[in-house]
Amino acid sequence: MDDDRPLFFHVMAYADDADHDVIDMVSGDPDWEPPTALREGLREFADAPVADYQYPPSEGRGDLRDLLADRHDVPVERLVVTNGGGEANHLAMACGLEAHAGNEVILTDPVYPYYADRAELLGADVTYAPVADDGALDPETVRAVASEETALIVACSPNNPTGAVYGESVKRELTDIAEANDALYVSDEVYEAFDFSGRFHSALAFDSENVAVTNSFSKAMATTGLRVGYAILPDHLVDPVRTRHMLTNVAVTAPGQHAALKALRETPDDYYAETRAMLESRIEHFCEALDAAGAEYIQPQGAFYVLARFDGFPGTLDNTKRLIDEAGVAGMPGDAFGSAREEWLRFALVSPRADEAADRLAAYFS
Amino acid sequence: MDDDRPLFFHVMAYADDADHDVIDMVSGDPDWEPPTALREGLREFADAPVADYQYPPSEGRGDLRDLLADRHDVPVERLVVTNGGGEANHLAMACGLEAHAGNEVILTDPVYPYYADRAELLGADVTYAPVADDGALDPETVRAVASEETALIVACSPNNPTGAVYGESVKRELTDIAEANDALYVSDEVYEAFDFSGRFHSALAFDSENVAVTNSFSKAMATTGLRVGYAILPDHLVDPVRTRHMLTNVAVTAPGQHAALKALRETPDDYYAETRAMLESRIEHFCEALDAAGAEYIQPQGAFYVLARFDGFPGTLDNTKRLIDEAGVAGMPGDAFGSAREEWLRFALVSPRADEAADRLAAYFS
């Protein structure tokens, strides 16, 4: 099985081993503070009664599910709390593949590599729909390849790695295509909190039996290690997902659920607004530096990644290492994200030194 | 898919809804204090740096794996930290089924119901090996049904629900049978801390390529909701398990791993000894009450369950409810645990009122 971990690890280890200063922009681990209430939630749990330390309900704590269902305006029965957005996505893909006819998964190219690896683990065939130069997804490219063989369409918006935000009309089209082909559209919305375009639109709005939405607190609350996420499922997938979740994981960590609930209840909107503004500022500075370096890049509309191509400097593993050695900046080779952007490099703007990294790249390439 | 959750839930809900006092002995949630250091670990984590809140290594924190590998005297490469013992067992079963010839899973009867449900989820066929009246497993009953069709043998010792402890010779035989049939013996050792017989012997000791061991802190540290466990795998399953784990869960909760590590390092042996003594005392009192009630039962050698049969009072769901209504004691119907003990009831001795429950049963049946 191919996966991006060895490549991530390889690049991170290479950067760590460097005997000079390297700014790490390899993986998508937030570098800013989680909400105060999240830390307080863990502190509270440390003193919780013994009963709170035991199995929570397999589908998630009732009060956490109620709050999330209320925020998303869906019946609580459709919501299952998972071990991060990763498990939510895995469950939606696994149960969607079983419940829908066909064995094909349609993914975008470039792609978040876990989708492709999960499809392989589940024995599905992958068909790629290439996105436009600016990262936009034309639903017609998906429609052109969709057929009765299609069981799943999996797409992330705001997107990793392109930063594109697929707006209402794109998501409506993807939903229509799923409905027309008896497929499930899995809409991964984990970067929902980081939309700079104002165009984010949840696929839940279409109220379709062919849509599952996966989400988590990992990015929005800067805590990828907490492992609390959730799936919102169409009725026919609720029982299969709950069963598979129970037999895979039994339940989701109780201290994490407690902390996530407290953070959901008590975190002011300012927290999210400030994070978004900080990321927007990093992206602006970074893109200015890319302009100065004469690089081609996709202007992100959301999330916190920038895909860029430097003239005469394809984004191979060798060049990734050269950039670590000679510019002191670590990114990811483009071929980790499908075949469409092999020449590119992805930079995760999750370092307090993102501006400095931008300046280093501008200096190195100009 | 059948699973025991609806039945567990049904019984627990019935007991909760009763308008009189009911002692809950339905599910296996410890009622005693987790180690002080475990609570302290969560408190510590509340103040940890931002980086600690991000993805831990998918296979588990290095220092936690090192400590566990050292305690079990195995190479650290063979150890993967999981979302509780449940995920460890799921991964060993899923990857063992793929790697070994045949599609059959041999389980004991009575059985821990998750094993059978996982086998069904994974599309495997189940063959049951009945245990003796006293809960002992005669390996010859397993050998008699094992064949080249056998991919897995899954057994738990100390056992849920019988309380039996399979000693060194039984586990050696099961290992031999797995080796002779190109199967994987998955030895679930989550009740290791609660062996009253002195005969517990880890299947790791045989150093076989046909053995995987699964374990967790859920029971030993009274924290089934923490969701930190681990699998120790033979070499050929390490990569498949790590890949499946990564694509299912990405990683295991970071605060939980921190708390488990601190508790492992700092919890004195007295903590485990005192818990064991408390459970032994509960079991002794409970079995005396069963004697007084004229009940047949399996004398537990480990874990914290008692399987009992009352004359003229088969362990049906109806009678389970009658016991709740008329005796104020909630147990589990025997048919949740396979077909061999359908007439029996299982009582989980995880209530501070276990002695009182015993007295109620003695009074009710005598």
Side-chain angles (χ1 to χ4, degrees), chain B residues 168-340:
Chain B
E168 177 174 0
S169 67
V170 172
K171 286 190 169 176
R172 188 185 297 277
E173 286 297 308
L174 293 177
T175 303
D176 286 348
I177 297 165
E179 287 176 348
N181 293 283
D182 181 28
L184 180 73
Y185 167 31
V186 180
S187 179
D188 184 347
E189 303 184 352
V190 297
Y191 294 99
E192 174 183 359
F194 311 122
D195 168 31
F196 318 125
S197 71
R199 293 190 303 113
F200 175 79
H201 190 89
S202 174
L204 290 170
F206 311 124
D207 202 21
S208 167
E209 272 295 299
N210 295 68
V211 169
V213 165
T214 60
N215 211 326
S216 87
F217 308 112
S218 296
K219 310 289 181 178
M221 294 187 181
T223 179
T224 54
L226 196 69
R227 309 315 299 143
V228 184
Y230 54 97
I232 298 172
L233 304 152
D235 291 335
H236 68 287
L237 290 180
V238 170
D239 282 347
V241 162
R242 284 174 62 143
T243 297
R244 183 178 272 262
H245 167 66
M246 185 178 66
L247 296 176
T248 308
N249 276 332
V250 185
V252 171
T253 186
Q257 291 191 65
H258 185 82
L261 177 60
K262 190 172 172 72
L264 267 177
R265 281 180 175 151
E266 299 181 12
T267 303
D269 287 346
D270 283 356
Y271 171 82
Y272 304 103
E274 283 163 16
T275 309
R276 197 161 46 237
M278 176 196 68
L279 289 172
E280 243 187 312
S281 156
R282 282 185 188 174
I283 287 170
E284 189 184 344
H285 191 93
F286 200 82
C287 291
E288 283 167 10
L290 292 175
D291 284 332
E296 185 180 359
Y297 60 91
I298 299 180
Q299 175 72 45
Q301 303 168 322
F304 43 66
Y305 306 99
V306 180
L307 267 181
R309 178 165 67 168
F310 300 94
D311 207 31
F313 195 90
T316 59
L317 182 56
D318 278 351
N319 274 340
T320 301
K321 290 179 180 176
R322 207 173 135 196
L323 209 57
I324 290 171
D325 291 336
E326 299 177 4
V329 176
M332 269 294 285
D335 69 1
F337 307 98
S339 61

Side-chain angles (χ1 to χ4, degrees), chain A residues 137-162:
Chain A
L137 176 63
D138 179 352
E140 292 311 311
T141 62
V142 175
R143 195 184 298 278
V145 293
S147 73
E148 59 188 14
E149 266 308 297
T150 308
L152 300 176
I153 301 166
V154 187
C156 177
S157 166
N159 189 265
N160 172 12
T162 67

Side-chain angles (χ1 to χ4, degrees), chain A residues 29-30 32-33 39 43 46-48 50 53-55 83 87 118 222 224-227 243 247-249 251 253-254, chain B residues 1 29-30 32-33 39 43 46-48 50 53-55 83 87 118 222 224-227 247-249 251 253-254:
Chain A
D29 280 350
W32 53 91
E33 260 293 307
R39 291 181 177 275
R43 209 172 286 118
D47 296 315
V50 169
Y53 277 75
Q54 309 313 320
Y55 294 121
N83 187 65
E87 193 207 353
R118 284 189 188 116
T224 53
L226 195 68
R227 308 316 299 141
T243 298
L247 296 177
T248 308
N249 277 332
T253 185
Chain B
M1 161 110 13
D29 280 351
W32 53 91
E33 259 294 304
R39 291 181 178 274
R43 210 172 284 120
D47 297 315
V50 168
Y53 277 76
Q54 310 312 320
Y55 293 121
N83 187 66
E87 192 207 353
R118 283 190 188 115
T224 54
L226 196 69
R227 309 315 299 143
L247 296 176
T248 308
N249 276 332
T253 186

Side-chain angles (χ1 to χ4, degrees), chain A residues 177-195:
Chain A
I177 297 164
E179 288 175 349
N181 293 282
D182 181 29
L184 180 74
Y185 166 29
V186 181
S187 180
D188 183 348
E189 303 185 352
V190 297
Y191 294 101
E192 174 182 0
F194 311 122
D195 168 32

Side-chain angles (χ1 to χ4, degrees), chain B residues 329-346:
Chain B
V329 176
M332 269 294 285
D335 69 1
F337 307 98
S339 61
R341 292 295 188 284
E342 280 179 349
E343 304 254 299
W344 297 53
L345 286 156
R346 189 197 74 171

